Structures are given as C-alpha cells and as structure tokens.
C-alpha cells in the first residue's frame, strides 16, 4: 500500500505568519535605529546593506535584545531557526521522505539568494544555521533510508 503525503497547509500558514511577525519586529527595530541616526535607505535592499556594512550604531537595550534573540536558545538562534526551516520543509511536503533532497536544494537556493541580497558571505550565525540545517536534512535522509523497505 502506498502512503499519500499531503501538505500541512494550516501549519504552513501559521509558520509563515509567525516568521513574518518576527521579521517585521526585527525590521522595525532596525528602521527605528536608522531613522534615529539620520540614515536613508531603500526598504527592499537598503536595510540589508546598512546592516552588512556594520555602520549602524545600536543602543544598549537594542543590543541586549538582539543578543537574546540570536543566543543559542533565542528565536533567531541556530537551533530554533534550523528547527523552523526543517519543520517548514516537512509541512510543505507532508513529511514525504522522497522530497528531502528537493527541500535541501530549495534551502541552498534560498541561502544563496540571501547572500546575494546581503552582498557577501552571511554572518557566522547564518553560516552555522546553514550547516545545522544540512545536518538535519542528512539525518532525515538517513532515517528515511532506514525505514524504506528493500
């Protein structure tokens, strides 16, 4: 009997909304800092250029919040971010193990696009997230091989 896999649409939509809310919160903080410093930017790409340049001055409270957010157990930390990426891939495919490599390639493509938008290699935390996501895809593939009948 062949198992049918179906996208978990409700979960996908919930995850998208959660990610969008957190991204909007981060963008709002950066925009506020940039406005306070009199910097002009194009919302689509300028914000990333300013961040990548390292020329943005950050007040202590914002720095503390950012450090909390990217800490090991923070929302934007390597583990939580990599877990969300894998969960999203599983939700999109309904957990279909035959789609693991397709999702891996989609992630690689997205990461490359992010580097292009950033204008260079992404920060260490992003590279750590990339490596962790690849490890989790490897684990998924390995587990799928173990459960596939010969």
């Amino acid at each position: 009997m062949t198992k049918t896999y179906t996208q978990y649409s409700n979960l996908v939509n919930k995850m998208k909304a959660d990610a969008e809310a957190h991204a909007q919160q981060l963008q709002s903080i950066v925009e506020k800092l940039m406005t306070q410093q009199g910097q002009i930017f194009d919302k689509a790409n300028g914000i990333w250029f300013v961040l990548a340049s390292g020329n943005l001055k950050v007040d202590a409270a914002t720095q503390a919040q950012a450090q909390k957010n990217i800490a090991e157990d923070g929302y934007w930390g390597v583990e939580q971010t990599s877990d969300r990426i894998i969960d999203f891939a599983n939700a999109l495919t309904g957990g279909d193990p035959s789609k693991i490599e397709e999702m891996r390639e989609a992630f690689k493509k997205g990461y490359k696009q992010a580097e292009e938008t950033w204008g260079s290699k992404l920060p260490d935390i992003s590279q750590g997230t990339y490596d962790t996501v690849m490890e989790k895809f490897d684990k998924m593939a390995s587990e799928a091989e173990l459960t596939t009948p010969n």
Side-chain angles (χ1 to χ4, degrees):
M1 183 163 122
T2 303
K3 183 172 181 178
T4 303
Y5 295 93
T6 306
Q7 183 182 75
Y8 306 137
S9 299
N10 289 340
L11 179 57
V12 168
N13 291 336
K14 182 180 180 291
M15 293 175 79
K16 282 181 175 179
D18 181 58
E20 178 62 31
H22 279 86
Q24 185 61 41
Q25 177 189 35
L26 176 61
Q27 183 169 339
S28 177
I29 290 169
V30 174
E31 286 176 4
K32 179 181 171 191
L33 287 170
M34 292 172 71
T35 302
Q36 289 172 348
Q37 294 174 38
Q39 295 190 32
I40 307 297
F41 63 96
D42 162 18
K43 281 191 181 214
N45 292 314
I47 194 168
W48 304 116
F49 176 76
V50 172
L51 287 172
S53 74
N55 292 331
L56 188 63
K57 304 279 187 263
V58 180
D59 63 80
T62 302
Q63 183 176 4
Q65 182 62 50
Q67 287 173 330
K68 178 181 172 188
N69 289 347
I70 65 169
E72 190 172 321
D73 61 343
Y75 182 85
W76 296 109
V78 170
E79 276 306 310
Q80 282 196 46
T81 300
S82 63
D83 283 346
R84 280 192 307 279
I85 291 166
I86 294 298
D87 290 347
F88 192 71
N90 277 320
L92 285 173
T93 64
D96 183 349
S98 72
K99 302 288 185 186
I100 293 170
E101 294 310 314
E102 186 178 339
M103 290 292 102
R104 182 193 308 262
E105 290 307 312
F107 173 73
K108 287 179 179 180
K109 181 179 177 183
Y111 190 88
K112 184 176 182 197
Q113 288 173 340
E115 283 186 323
E116 289 169 5
T117 299
W118 189 255
S120 65
K121 284 181 70 173
L122 292 173
D124 290 345
I125 190 168
S126 299
Q127 294 173 36
T129 301
Y130 178 94
D131 293 342
T132 302
V133 168
M134 288 296 119
E135 290 169 8
K136 290 178 180 184
F137 276 130
D138 289 345
K139 182 178 179 192
M140 287 171 57
S142 176
E143 289 172 354
E145 287 175 10
L146 293 174
T147 60
T148 303
N150 292 332

